[in-house]
Amino acid sequence: MTELGPDSPILQPLEAGAIATRNRVWMAPLTRNRSEPDGTPNDLNVEYYRQRAGAGLIVSEGTQPSAVGKGYLNTPGIHTDEQQAGWARIADAVHGGGGRIVVQLMHAGRVSHPDNTGEESVAPSAIAPGIDMVTASGEQPIPTPRALTAEELPGVVAEFVDASRRAIAAGLDGVEIHAANGYLLHQFLADGANTRTDAYGGSPANRARLVVEVTRAVADAIGAGHVGIRISPGSTASGIAEDDTTGAYEALLDGIDGLGLAYLHVLVSPDDPFLGKIRSAWSGPLVLNTGFEKPTTREDAVTLVADGVADAVTVGRPFIANPDLVTRWTHDTELNTPDESTFYGGGAEGYTDYPTLEG
């Protein structure tokens, strides 16, 4: 490929609800485990996001809306005043570089450990994910969670609403509701993790119910145009299992499509036939993440947007190593290689020290 011209579809602005993005190369949510132990974003986080302000939109790393929603060590939260103040600094830094950023609200649910949170983990059903988690004392099996009662679910919705209001108060451009990758909301959608017999389990509509309620409540609280949602139909991430990889998602889209959300973020292979059904069922901007098996290439991204498969593409690993990825892709220049040994935890190395074309 050669240099992209100014009329290239992937370089065009996109109105994602109330969020005006200047191009269609978006930064995917990336867990980096470098916030303070109490979940407060720090100076290093501010610099990391500032460097990547050239993305059309930054979708932040998964951020817990409550203490019990925390999964991994040193992940950020947005449920205390201190955490909100940290996110306000990040918002200012990204906006100062001409960028836009939303915070991804991620309640880990059963993908958690009491050693990391001081709390018993919760889930739709008392089913352990069957995987290990890194804790301060080493890697340990994740214990069986406690099943949430129906009476507790309005409180879960309220946690997402409070976190969303804090995000807007911090000056962020919106939120992305994380209903993917095996975390709490995905656990409700997945028949392998949700064996409830009440109104929140069983049929596809029942399994989608909590996600619909969270999405509607957040949209009511901060305006639908500031709300995106992420799904990953058929994903096996974090020990999730789905025999029904379509029904609950069809019910979910039926329940939220008319709200006027900013975008739908789908993690699925472009070859998955269900993507076409999602595309036809969704009236707003559709954003595609092509999955974990291999990094999204420049050619992949350009083709997906040019062919109308997606309105924008989220990119992960290339953004880790290339803060100026959009510039590099535009001019078809060489990319830095990400250092996988520094992906999770640590300091500036492999986080804020990757060079840009400007030096």
Side-chain angles (χ1 to χ4, degrees), residues 137-334:
S137 56
E139 196 166 291
Q140 300 187 57
I142 292 179
T144 300
R146 177 179 65 80
L148 287 158
T149 67
E151 291 73 24
E152 291 178 287
L153 297 182
V156 173
V157 175
E159 290 171 353
F160 278 91
V161 168
D162 176 68
S164 301
R165 287 178 170 146
R166 286 182 177 276
I168 297 301
L172 294 159
D173 295 288
V175 302
E176 178 176 286
I177 295 169
H178 198 355
N181 298 73
Y183 300 114
L184 182 68
L185 297 184
H186 192 184
Q187 292 159 28
F188 271 87
L189 290 167
D191 50 1
N194 181 350
T195 58
R196 301 174 73 96
T197 57
D198 63 4
Y200 293 87
S203 70
N206 282 359
R207 284 184 278 118
R209 188 183 305 276
L210 181 64
V211 189
V212 171
E213 290 178 354
V214 167
T215 306
R216 288 178 174 174
V218 170
D220 285 345
I222 66 171
H226 295 282
V227 182
I229 184 170
R230 177 174 166 103
I231 59 173
S232 58
S235 170
T236 58
S238 305
I240 207 70
E242 292 179 294
D243 288 330
D244 174 13
T245 59
T246 60
Y249 297 96
E250 292 171 338
L252 171 61
L253 295 181
D254 185 59
I256 65 174
D257 181 57
L259 298 177
L261 299 183
Y263 62 87
L264 172 67
H265 185 186
V266 186
L267 191 156
V268 72
S269 169
D271 299 327
D272 191 318
F274 190 50
L275 179 60
K277 294 183 179 180
I278 293 172
R279 188 68 159 141
S280 62
W282 182 252
S283 60
L286 188 143
V287 183
L288 183 64
N289 186 305
T290 59
F292 297 129
E293 291 186 5
K294 65 181 183 68
T296 302
T297 66
R298 177 180 186 259
E299 183 176 7
D300 291 337
V302 168
T303 301
L304 289 168
V305 174
D307 290 352
V309 176
D311 297 297
V313 176
T314 51
V315 183
R317 282 161 283 186
F319 257 121
I320 288 178
N322 300 275
D324 55 349
L325 180 67
V326 177
T327 299
R328 289 175 185 264
W329 274 6
T330 299
H331 300 295
D332 199 13
T333 58
E334 186 176 356

Side-chain angles (χ1 to χ4, degrees), residues 73 113-116 133-140:
L73 293 171
H113 197 285
D115 285 5
N116 290 353
M133 172 163 285
V134 175
T135 72
S137 56
E139 196 166 291
Q140 300 187 57

